[in-house]
Amino acid sequence: MEKQKHGLSKYTGAAWLMILPFLLFFVVTILIPTLMSLYFSFASIGDKIDFIGLKNFIAVFKDPLFLQSYANTFIFMIGSIPITIFLSLLFAVLLNLPHVHGQGFFRTSYYLPAVTSVVAVASVFLTFYNPTGLLNNVVTHLGGQPIPWLTDPFWARISIIIISIWLNIGFYTVMFLAGLQNISSEIYESAEIDGASKMRQFFSITIPSLKPVILLGVILSTINGLGAFETPNILFKNSYGPENSAVTVGVNLYKTSFELVDYGKASAIAWTMVIVAVILSLIQFKIGGKRNDA
Amino acid sequence: MTRKHRLNAIIVYAVLIIGMIIFIAPYVYMILAATQNNEVILGKNPFFGFGNYFLKNLQEVQKDYQYTQVLLNSVIITVIGTTISTVITTLAGYVLAKYRFRGGNLIFYLVMIARMVPQFALIIPTFYILSRMNLTNTYTGVILPSLASTTSVFMMRQYAMDFPTELMESARIDGASEFMIFRRIAVPVLQPAILTTGLLTFMGYWNAYLFPLIILSDPKKFTVPLVIQNMTQNTYKSLNYGALMSVLATSVVPIVILYILLQRKFRSNNVASAIK
Amino acid sequence: MKLHRMFGGVMAAVVALTLAACGSGSSNSSSSSTPANPTLSSKRVKSGTLTAYVAKGKNTDWLKASLKLYNKKYGTDLKLNPTDVAPAVPMVQKITPMLVAKQSMPDLVFLQDSNAGAVMSKFSKDFYSSQDYGFVKKYGDDFYTAKMNYAKSIAPDKKVYGFPNDWGTTVLFYNDALFKKAGINFADVKTWDQMIDAGKTLKEKTGKNLMFMRDTGDLDTVKNIAMQLGAPLIDKNGAVDISNPKVIKAYSILKKIQDANIVSYGNMADYLKIGQQTGIIQAGGWFASMQQESYPNEKGDWRVRALPLVNASDKVIQPANGGSSYYVPKKSKNGLAAMQFLTFMLTDKSSLDAYIKLAGLPANTTAYKSAAANEGFAYYGGQKLTQEMNKITLDSLTVYSYPYVSDLDTYLAAASYDVKKNGTAPKAALDKQAQLFADKYSIKVVK
């Protein structure tokens, strides 16, 4: 490691030059707004912007819904991330098999959800979740009882998790596929020569090679999951779902920003999200291994 | 081909096809509904065929929202934004993965933290800056805030970690400049990853709602998501579901086409071919 | 290393420049022709372009139609430049960044009353006050009392800022033809109890349910009944008041309806669609034009009336359904011209007629004396719909605006859900939600 560091340091100038365009935009449109929003979280935003210390944060923590929103968000993440990753990995591996025909076609259809706006998807699902909608039609045809999709706290959460999985599988499939295709075929060939079975190859070559990409997927899902608001907002228009089962941190943030027009308090909520996301990412990096902590 | 092989193939296809059906069902619904009128869509009975209202629905959105202009705006903003963003974020991700320099880690951590700030919190500050730069109500104002995509940089960095350093070193021995190494070796090898992140950026611009809403005030500059929102949220005007569905359908099509075009590129390059 | 240092310099310069630019502040102030304290007696502005943030549809159409009349009457040459911004949340999203950034604003902003409280609690100083302008003093009495009372409660200083556009109460749309088929003359139904009986008969004879309810916990019915009994839910001082006997009474009626098994449950997005298949729909007056366009086949079947009373002898109070107003930002180009035009648009006879023809329901009561307001609607069997709605709205309950008003719905629905699902006593469920709501917004609970 140390050696590599010295070996490359003479290219520092070139490195700075290559990263400069990004940095310029990053500072002006991301970093400065981020710092401003940090300031906002200690201010009251109105016709004047006044510094009010920790008042926003105190108000946020006093809100009984605040903790509930975090609890729900974690339930949604635990319910959706592992299944999403598992299914996307399955699809990516199947699509990457050398003899599968129509890969392009399948991949395109899987990717569709990732390119459609969440609002459109959630609106269509809303009709599916109707008491007499498509899904319950299917369930009753199979001899089951109609499911209270949106009216029972348990099923309300399932409804949200289903949409989240449905939305994300395509994106992760494509991401994993890109990762799979970055694995040199020579590694597999030499494994083949050594007589390693396909299973063995999968667990000792494919999975380790995909580790950074999987880690990336988990982190992105976590961060996105914290901010998610569109799906619950559309499914449970103007409510927090049965027994507050659908209120996420994102919903709370959205309502505080645009219904209460309290941007100071909203910024405070946003910064609690940043802190939680940083902690979670650090944990995931630790679990993900030193290799990625470069 | 042995029986076992055939059975495997059947299972593989069965899984893939079930997946496909689940993923395209809502789109089929969308496209069918785009050809119907309210009476059918809101009616009691489900519908399974095409109606003959597609052109009428399109005419309505054209008349009410100058839809062709709106589509054009979306295309301009998306294409320019995606191009610039992909170039600068690929460079940045590659540099963060492959070069050690003072400040490099700091930049990476800043990017990571910024990545975690929800967009809602940045709306007002970003608008504040853009308005001081006199960029409100311009395409530039819509393009600018999303150029430095932290997600793309993070993704590119993760992908580029796997890019073999030996390739860079042997090129250096051959006398290639750093930029040359990036351009001639890294880009071809990383192409699938670049396309993946590029597509994500494309989609981000294409579906962006909040920034266009706050930045654009001139209806002639509106983008597709603004029209969707204006149609669905406007309680003062009854909603023509068919028209809405035709907008949704047309807004998905360009991305699907782009994706199909890019398909082949995803497969044609990998590390192995670069080494040879 | 040189590059490194150069880069550092560039970065520092960029940050410094951005901050300086942000700090300078005053960049694009309006070259306004508006005097410091404009009033009704200010000199009329002859020309200019009025930019407006307003949703497409009848309100934009009214601005256009009315401006034509205005130019003709005063020999002015004002033009309109409308931007289509969807009402409610999108409008709030659109204007608040501009307000924080002190950017130049449009001349007219169309804001729903339910959102106005939150916006004005933070930014009232950035808008002209219709009261200071003299509008309220001269014309205020012409408007619905409930509308003006509400308008007075919006801003923290209790001054009226908005120019009152429309105001409505919840009315009852009922499928007269369907009830007739079941042998019921719905016009004879006077009380909620009678309506429940009618609903049972309807179900028996036609198989149709009486009404829609949200499957996530009823909101509309309880709220309407509570308001009919005179409970504003948020009191004059901003305290939450949802566990009083009036609201509890509303829950007992709700339970009767639900026990009678005459309800179609569904999600809010489909409530009109499902409601159309039932006997009655509780909605604001705005629903009329939507129903005519969406269900042309049911022409002649439906009628409109006030909600039935709780007790036949009750004083008639109608549940407020909300409305909207125009606001004129101080940082606009043609603020005075905008206020002069609004004054005309909201009070002139021919202009108000134009709104009624667009199916609008102006908050100005003088509008309903005209012939246009007394026209029959073929879709509603020749009923004089506009006049009927005016009559109902005149009895509107006075409610009060606070920034958190719209969020209360969520808590009421949660109480309803608790009552229905877990069999919790309404009083206990309401007490619990009231406390949660009060904790969230640091306000008081009325015990």
Side-chain angles (χ1 to χ4, degrees):
Chain A
M1 278 304 222
E2 214 37 39
K3 189 182 152 210
Q4 195 184 23
K5 197 170 177 175
H6 282 288
L8 284 173
S9 63
K10 64 178 162 187
Y11 305 110
T12 296
W16 275 109
L17 209 59
M18 285 195 276
I19 207 172
L20 182 69
F22 167 78
L23 266 187
L24 271 178
F25 290 116
F26 176 71
V27 169
V28 175
T29 64
I30 312 263
L31 198 59
I32 296 175
T34 301
L35 293 176
M36 283 169 78
S37 95
L38 184 60
Y39 176 72
F40 280 6
S41 66
F42 298 100
S44 107
I45 313 295
D47 32 39
K48 280 184 304 184
I49 299 177
D50 295 321
F51 185 81
I52 55 167
L54 284 170
K55 273 192 191 148
N56 288 325
F57 285 94
I58 292 169
V60 163
F61 281 101
K62 265 191 179 166
D63 176 1
L65 212 60
F66 178 72
L67 282 181
Q68 171 90 59
S69 72
Y70 266 101
N72 287 339
T73 305
F74 285 119
I75 292 173
F76 294 143
M77 291 195 294
I78 291 163
S80 65
I81 295 175
I83 301 179
T84 308
I85 302 270
F86 171 78
L87 287 177
S88 333
L89 207 51
L90 175 74
F91 284 133
V93 169
L94 292 185
L95 284 175
N96 203 38
L97 290 177
H99 304 299
V100 172
H101 294 281
Q103 283 169 356
F105 182 66
F106 285 120
R107 191 162 42 176
T108 307
S109 63
Y110 295 176
Y111 199 68
L112 279 175
V115 297
T116 319
S117 72
V118 182
V119 176
V121 170
S123 309
V124 175
F125 266 87
L126 184 61
T127 68
F128 292 172
Y129 284 142
N130 237 354
T132 55
L134 183 79
L135 285 173
N136 273 352
N137 267 336
V138 174
V139 172
T140 43
H141 267 290
L142 296 174
Q145 287 292 316
I147 292 170
W149 290 107
L150 302 175
T151 52
D152 177 89
F154 173 77
W155 287 105
R157 291 189 174 116
I158 299 284
S159 303
I160 289 176
I161 289 173
I162 290 176
I163 295 184
S164 147
I165 293 173
W166 187 90
L167 268 173
N168 287 319
I169 283 185
F171 168 61
Y172 291 108
T173 303
V174 169
M175 207 169 72
F176 290 149
L177 211 46
L180 283 175
Q181 284 158 9
N182 268 347
I183 304 172
S184 159
S185 50
E186 281 167 1
I187 304 177
Y188 286 109
E189 277 158 25
S190 58
E192 198 88 22
I193 293 165
D194 293 344
S197 73
K198 288 273 180 227
M199 264 304 171
R200 170 104 208 185
Q201 287 177 32
F202 180 76
F203 283 107
S204 52
I205 302 174
T206 312
I207 293 284
S209 311
L210 280 183
K211 216 162 132 191
V213 186
I214 293 175
L215 181 69
L216 169 73
V218 173
I219 292 175
L220 289 183
S221 298
T222 309
I223 298 170
N224 292 342
L226 276 175
F229 86 100
E230 280 130 323
T231 307
N233 204 41
I234 285 168
L235 292 188
F236 304 95
K237 217 172 183 180
N238 269 324
S239 91
Y240 300 130
E243 292 172 359
N244 293 338
S245 54
V247 55
T248 62
V249 192
V251 169
N252 202 3
L253 174 61
Y254 177 82
K255 282 215 161 205
T256 312
S257 308
F258 303 124
E259 275 183 15
L260 273 180
V261 197
D262 193 339
Y263 286 94
K265 197 175 158 194
S267 301
I269 296 176
W271 277 89
T272 68
M273 291 163 75
V274 176
I275 292 163
V276 171
V278 168
I279 294 170
L280 287 178
S281 302
L282 284 177
I283 295 171
Q284 282 159 352
F285 267 118
K286 275 268 156 6
I287 297 171
K290 282 266 178 307
R291 198 176 98 88
N292 308 300
D293 207 17
Chain B
M1 203 179 240
T2 64
R3 268 187 67 187
K4 196 184 156 203
H5 267 112
R6 199 170 303 157
L7 187 68
N8 276 344
I10 288 170
I11 293 173
V12 167
Y13 280 110
V15 172
L16 290 176
I17 287 169
I18 289 171
M20 187 193 74
I21 291 171
I22 291 173
F23 285 117
I24 65 174
Y27 299 93
V28 174
Y29 173 85
M30 203 183 277
I31 289 168
L32 291 181
T35 68
Q36 304 286 5
N37 62 358
N38 265 7
E39 220 152 321
V40 176
I41 298 173
L42 296 179
K44 267 180 297 185
N45 304 318
F47 52 92
F48 295 105
F50 289 99
N52 21 16
Y53 280 84
F54 185 58
L55 280 180
K56 227 180 149 207
N57 288 335
L58 275 187
Q59 272 163 13
E60 188 184 317
V61 282
Q62 176 60 22
K63 190 177 129 274
D64 283 0
Y65 300 98
Q66 287 86 42
Y67 193 56
T68 43
Q69 177 68 46
V70 167
L71 273 175
L72 186 69
N73 295 338
S74 271
V75 169
I76 292 172
I77 288 170
T78 306
V79 169
I80 297 177
T82 308
T83 311
I84 301 177
S85 173
T86 306
V87 171
I88 65 170
T89 55
T90 303
L91 273 166
Y94 167 77
V95 167
L96 289 177
K98 286 293 150 197
Y99 291 86
R100 307 302 197 108
F101 54 97
R102 220 188 312 157
N105 274 343
L106 177 69
I107 295 174
F108 175 65
Y109 291 132
L110 284 178
V111 166
M112 279 304 291
I113 291 173
R115 172 76 192 82
M116 295 164 191
V117 183
Q119 203 191 24
F120 290 148
L122 297 183
I123 294 173
I124 288 189
T126 309
F127 183 87
Y128 198 94
I129 290 170
L130 291 174
S131 96
R132 292 296 173 269
M133 293 163 90
N134 272 329
L135 286 175
T136 52
N137 203 16
T138 62
Y139 291 145
T140 316
V142 180
I143 293 172
L144 211 60
S146 312
L147 277 182
S149 161
T150 48
T151 311
S152 299
V153 171
F154 181 45
M155 284 177 67
M156 273 321 298
R157 177 182 171 276
Q158 293 297 94
Y159 282 123
M161 303 269 245
D162 279 346
F163 177 70
T165 313
E166 307 87 67
L167 283 182
M168 296 169 71
E169 262 150 24
S170 59
R172 281 192 189 117
I173 293 163
D174 294 346
S177 74
E178 293 307 303
F179 187 72
M180 203 71 132
I181 297 173
F182 171 76
R183 177 71 195 81
R184 292 284 160 77
I185 303 173
V187 168
V189 172
L190 293 172
Q191 198 170 17
I194 294 173
L195 291 177
T196 307
T197 49
L199 201 63
L200 197 69
T201 310
F202 186 95
M203 175 214 135
Y205 272 111
W206 186 258
N207 290 332
Y209 163 65
L210 266 182
F211 279 125
L213 171 79
I214 60 162
I215 289 160
L216 300 174
S217 301
D218 178 358
K220 288 193 195 83
K221 292 176 183 162
F222 276 11
T223 58
V224 176
L226 282 184
V227 167
I228 294 175
Q229 200 77 5
N230 280 348
M231 287 176 92
T232 53
Q233 303 288 307
N234 188 348
T235 41
Y236 294 98
K237 197 168 175 296
S238 65
L239 176 60
N240 176 350
Y241 285 89
L244 174 66
M245 291 298 168
S246 63
V247 170
L248 289 181
T250 46
S251 79
V252 175
V253 168
I255 303 194
V256 176
I257 293 175
L258 181 81
Y259 188 68
I260 292 170
L261 289 178
L262 291 179
Q263 282 291 347
R264 277 170 243 124
K265 301 248 173 181
F266 277 109
R267 286 211 67 99
S268 59
N269 292 285
N270 57 29
V271 177
S273 68
I275 291 170
K276 274 167 196 163
Chain C
M1 281 304 112
K2 250 187 224 157
L3 261 171
H4 186 169
R5 214 167 293 146
M6 201 172 86
F7 178 80
V10 171
M11 289 305 297
V14 167
V15 175
L17 274 175
T18 322
L19 289 175
C22 289
S24 72
S26 68
S27 58
N28 39 16
S29 66
S30 46
S31 60
S32 167
S33 53
T34 307
N37 293 306
T39 63
L40 277 172
S41 48
S42 301
K43 199 162 161 275
R44 190 162 300 280
V45 179
K46 287 290 176 193
S47 65
T49 299
L50 299 177
T51 52
Y53 286 178
V54 55
K56 227 180 235 316
K58 68 179 170 199
N59 291 303
T60 304
D61 295 344
W62 188 26
L63 284 175
K64 284 182 191 158
S66 190
L67 192 65
K68 236 182 236 165
L69 296 169
Y70 179 81
N71 281 333
K72 209 170 148 196
K73 180 167 178 186
Y74 294 106
T76 50
D77 184 26
L78 293 179
K79 291 189 177 62
L80 183 74
N81 177 18
T83 293
D84 182 17
V85 181
V89 167
M91 183 66 82
V92 175
Q93 288 172 336
K94 177 82 192 165
I95 61 169
T96 38
M98 305 173 88
L99 289 166
V100 175
K102 306 276 175 221
Q103 238 225 350
S104 60
M105 299 279 291
D107 304 298
L108 298 164
V109 174
F110 182 86
L111 211 51
Q112 288 190 341
D113 290 342
S114 50
N115 299 108
V119 174
M120 298 313 282
S121 72
K122 303 282 184 190
F123 299 102
S124 60
K125 287 197 187 100
D126 292 325
F127 291 90
Y128 288 112
S129 151
S130 58
Q131 191 170 328
D132 291 348
Y133 181 66
F135 181 92
V136 175
K137 195 167 176 214
K138 182 152 184 207
Y139 301 105
D141 292 344
D142 291 343
F143 289 78
Y144 290 125
T145 321
K147 172 79 182 182
M148 292 317 287
N149 286 343
Y150 189 85
K152 278 174 206 152
S153 75
I154 288 175
D157 59 4
K158 304 299 167 203
K159 210 193 272 176
V160 180
Y161 283 82
F163 289 79
N165 186 70
D166 66 310
W167 181 254
T169 49
T170 305
V171 298
L172 197 67
F173 290 80
Y174 63 99
N175 191 333
D176 195 44
L178 187 67
F179 280 109
K180 288 250 159 67
K181 223 185 272 173
I184 299 161
N185 181 13
F186 198 78
D188 293 342
V189 172
K190 295 278 183 280
T191 64
W192 280 91
D193 283 341
Q194 288 170 12
M195 188 160 83
I196 295 169
D197 289 337
K200 286 181 194 158
T201 315
L202 185 72
K203 179 110 187 208
E204 226 167 78
K205 297 274 168 68
T206 67
K208 302 260 186 185
N209 280 322
L210 176 68
M211 61 191 290
F212 162 88
M213 270 185 206
R214 307 175 189 230
D215 49 15
T216 45
D218 172 78
L219 174 63
D220 318 77
T221 308
V222 187
K223 225 172 119 177
N224 286 339
I225 298 174
M227 285 201 271
Q228 281 187 297
L229 290 168
L233 307 178
I234 299 278
D235 79 358
K236 205 172 176 170
N237 306 314
V240 55
D241 186 9
I242 57 170
S243 56
N244 58 53
K246 291 169 181 169
V247 184
I248 290 161
K249 171 75 185 163
Y251 271 96
S252 73
I253 295 176
L254 178 75
K255 187 162 169 17
K256 268 191 223 164
I257 300 172
Q258 289 172 336
D259 289 348
N261 204 17
I262 48 175
V263 178
S264 293
Y265 293 96
N267 58 52
M268 204 39 206
D270 288 332
Y271 107 82
L272 298 175
K273 188 172 149 186
I274 298 170
Q276 194 70 21
Q277 304 298 324
T278 65
I280 64 158
I281 298 173
Q282 308 172 69
W286 51 266
F287 176 58
S289 49
M290 206 168 280
Q291 191 177 35
Q292 295 174 56
E293 273 177 50
S294 302
Y295 301 97
N297 287 345
E298 293 181 44
K299 186 175 173 181
D301 291 355
W302 290 77
R303 299 286 184 279
V304 172
R305 54 166 280 182
L307 293 169
L309 295 167
V310 175
N311 305 300
S313 57
D314 283 349
K315 179 175 173 242
V316 178
I317 305 174
Q318 303 297 350
N321 190 269
S324 55
S325 301
Y326 280 97
Y327 289 81
V328 181
K330 283 186 181 156
K331 264 190 154 315
S332 58
K333 285 229 163 58
N334 290 304
L336 177 59
M339 288 191 282
Q340 289 170 338
F341 166 60
L342 280 176
T343 306
F344 168 84
M345 179 171 99
L346 301 169
T347 60
D348 178 84
K349 232 169 141 172
S350 56
S351 165
L352 290 167
D353 269 4
Y355 197 36
I356 286 174
K357 278 181 195 134
L358 290 162
L361 294 168
N364 188 332
T365 54
T366 61
Y368 299 94
K369 291 180 184 130
S370 72
N374 285 294
E375 244 166 65
F377 280 62
Y379 188 88
Y380 295 97
Q383 205 183 356
K384 291 178 182 175
L385 208 64
T386 314
Q387 199 52 258
E388 180 70 31
M389 300 216 197
N390 174 45
K391 266 188 220 144
I392 300 171
T393 306
L394 282 168
D395 294 320
S396 169
L397 173 71
T398 286
V399 287
Y400 308 99
S401 166
Y402 284 89
Y404 41 79
V405 158
S406 58
D407 199 28
L408 183 63
D409 285 358
T410 310
Y411 289 78
L412 263 184
S416 304
Y417 182 85
D418 195 11
V419 170
K420 181 158 183 281
K421 169 121 190 292
N422 308 324
T424 313
K427 170 85 176 144
L430 289 164
D431 277 338
K432 185 181 155 197
Q433 295 301 329
Q435 196 54 53
L436 286 173
F437 187 76
D439 286 348
K440 175 156 188 177
Y441 295 110
S442 310
I443 54 170
K444 288 204 175 78
V445 182
V446 178
K447 292 280 178 197

